[in-house]
Amino acid sequence: MNIVVTHPDPQEALHWVQALQTLLPAAHVRLDRESDREGQAADHSRVPTADRTQGESKAQVFCAAGWKPPADFFARYPGLTTFFCAGAGVDHLLQHPGLPPGLAVVRLEDAGMGPLMADYCEHALLHISGGFARYRQQQERARWQAHEPLPREALDVGIVGLGVLGLQVARRLQRAGFRVRGYTRTPRQIEGIEVLHGAQGWLRFLSQTRVLILLAPRTPETENLIDATALAALPQGAWLINVARGALVVDADLLASLDAGHLNGAILDVFREEPLPAHHAFWHHPRVLITPHVSAPTQVEISARQVAANIGRLIRGEALQGLVDRGRGY
Ligand code: OXD
């Protein structure tokens, strides 16, 4: 069994190699040469790379694991059958121009990200209900003025996307006392959560949502979903939290809604371009809070266990968990 690891961050790449090799001692786990070249600062001396490993043909490489493979990656591994994505979102992979049509793509399911995502969203909700954005602005003017916190039950939360992560966030916020609704692509019955779908459901969902949380994957259907029309359908004074993908939101429409005073604020963890360019208006907007894509970082050890378990299934000819439906986009 040959496994090649690719990752733009050399330390992460090395971490993945070591974690997979420990879990799968009989496998040959190696770094892709691109990851290795970028990671000259890391100590790779004991980790074989595809370039250094001699006597093994490209065709023997069976599966790959990692994040954002370089442009020529798939051309260099023609024998690849499966790519295990080191994240929950596979949009970047599905847009890779070299992705072979028959390659199985597998995403991480939770793998320790759920509780972190729930922490982030709960924190964001408490930031909103506690009026912290207002206090930040008051501090700039050395102004001492207390405000009543917003009662949690008055902050109806609407979550777009109730997949593995979305559902964990929903349950956590419910436990914390917030009223939670969901919007999903197809009809879903989830105990204790009102779930809306379809065009009519969308507008109803938005009109009842005071804090909109985006947790849906980026697909052709969800790209630009949060545009001027969607924002206008939210009640006056609503908030947006985006922990999904930047491309779900039309940046200019979001800024216009904030400037018009319709939307109260936005807490953004993901952006169309990352890192967010220094000139982007979000950086300096008084009602935008930015975090640098940190809401649910990949937990390498837990994720590698999930990948190793899937490799076991692959070997035994069993169905893989987290297999992406490439037509659907997630
Ligand atoms: C992911 C991410 O998709 O970190 O897991 O964005």
Side-chain angles (χ1 to χ4, degrees):
M1 162 68 68
N2 288 297
I3 304 166
V4 64
V5 168
T6 175
H7 202 294
D9 178 331
Q11 299 297 337
E12 284 279 296
L14 191 58
H15 195 170
W16 269 98
V17 170
Q18 286 164 344
L20 285 173
Q21 190 65 82
T22 306
L23 291 161
L24 301 165
H28 294 173
V29 186
R30 84 283 294 277
L31 276 177
D32 176 45
R33 63 177 162 81
E34 288 298 323
S35 308
D36 185 57
R37 199 174 289 145
E38 285 160 21
Q40 282 161 8
D43 175 16
H44 294 161
S45 52
R46 288 180 309 156
V47 178
T49 72
D51 269 354
R52 285 194 213 128
T53 310
Q54 295 192 348
E56 289 187 64
S57 81
K58 284 179 174 183
Q60 283 179 284
V61 174
F62 186 53
C63 54
W67 188 247
K68 298 194 176 164
D72 63 344
F73 181 79
F74 295 105
R76 288 189 281 110
Y77 299 104
L80 213 58
T81 63
T82 315
F83 191 99
F84 293 98
C85 181
V90 291
D91 46 317
H92 63 91
L93 204 53
L94 299 188
Q95 286 173 0
H96 191 296
L99 189 73
L103 186 82
V105 174
V106 183
R107 64 188 152 90
L108 289 178
E109 287 190 315
D110 184 358
M113 285 186 267
L116 297 175
M117 191 65 103
D119 283 350
Y120 183 101
C121 292
E122 186 176 1
H123 181 91
L125 260 297
L126 295 178
H127 174 91
I128 295 168
S129 62
F132 283 89
R134 208 168 178 188
Y135 291 130
R136 174 78 241 172
Q137 285 167 15
Q138 286 186 189
Q139 186 177 335
E140 279 159 21
R141 287 173 282 133
R143 183 159 177 211
W144 181 278
Q145 189 187 350
H147 304 278
E148 281 296 313
L150 287 168
R152 294 183 193 192
E153 57 286 356
L155 270 179
D156 285 80
V157 177
I159 301 181
V160 181
L162 288 174
V164 180
L165 298 180
L167 199 51
Q168 286 192 60
V169 171
R171 294 293 186 214
R172 170 78 74 81
L173 295 179
Q174 281 186 318
R175 282 200 298 278
F178 295 98
R179 206 159 39 207
V180 178
R181 269 188 207 87
Y183 183 87
T184 55
R185 196 176 66 93
T186 49
R188 293 249 330 251
Q189 300 273 347
I190 299 175
E191 204 187 318
I193 303 180
E194 186 189 358
V195 184
L196 296 135
H197 73 280
Q200 276 204 331
W202 179 232
L203 289 181
R204 218 177 97 219
F205 166 79
L206 291 172
S207 70
Q208 295 172 339
T209 293
R210 297 205 59 94
V211 183
L212 180 65
I213 303 185
L214 303 181
L215 262 157
R218 175 189 181 180
T219 66
E221 251 178 273
T222 61
E223 214 163 307
N224 300 324
L225 182 69
I226 307 304
D227 58 4
T229 310
L231 291 164
L234 292 168
Q236 166 84 29
W239 283 76
L240 172 70
I241 299 172
N242 189 6
V243 284
R245 287 289 183 261
L248 269 58
V249 176
V250 179
D251 292 1
D253 292 358
L254 172 57
L255 287 164
S257 181
L258 287 163
D259 289 340
H262 182 69
L263 210 66
N264 204 338
I267 298 177
L268 307 175
D269 186 48
V270 287
F271 304 89
R272 284 179 180 265
E273 192 182 338
E274 293 181 6
L276 184 65
H279 58 77
H280 199 291
F282 285 159
W283 278 119
H284 306 291
H285 200 287
R287 279 182 286 124
V288 175
L289 179 65
I290 289 171
T291 52
H293 202 140
V294 292
S295 55
T298 297
Q299 307 297 293
V300 177
E301 300 293 331
I302 306 175
S303 305
R305 282 206 289 279
Q306 195 169 101
V307 170
N310 255 334
I311 288 175
R313 290 186 191 98
L314 204 58
I315 292 167
R316 295 189 298 274
E318 296 169 8
L320 298 180
Q321 280 180 14
L323 184 64
V324 169
D325 175 339
R326 287 177 58 171
R328 200 178 60 171
Y330 60 97

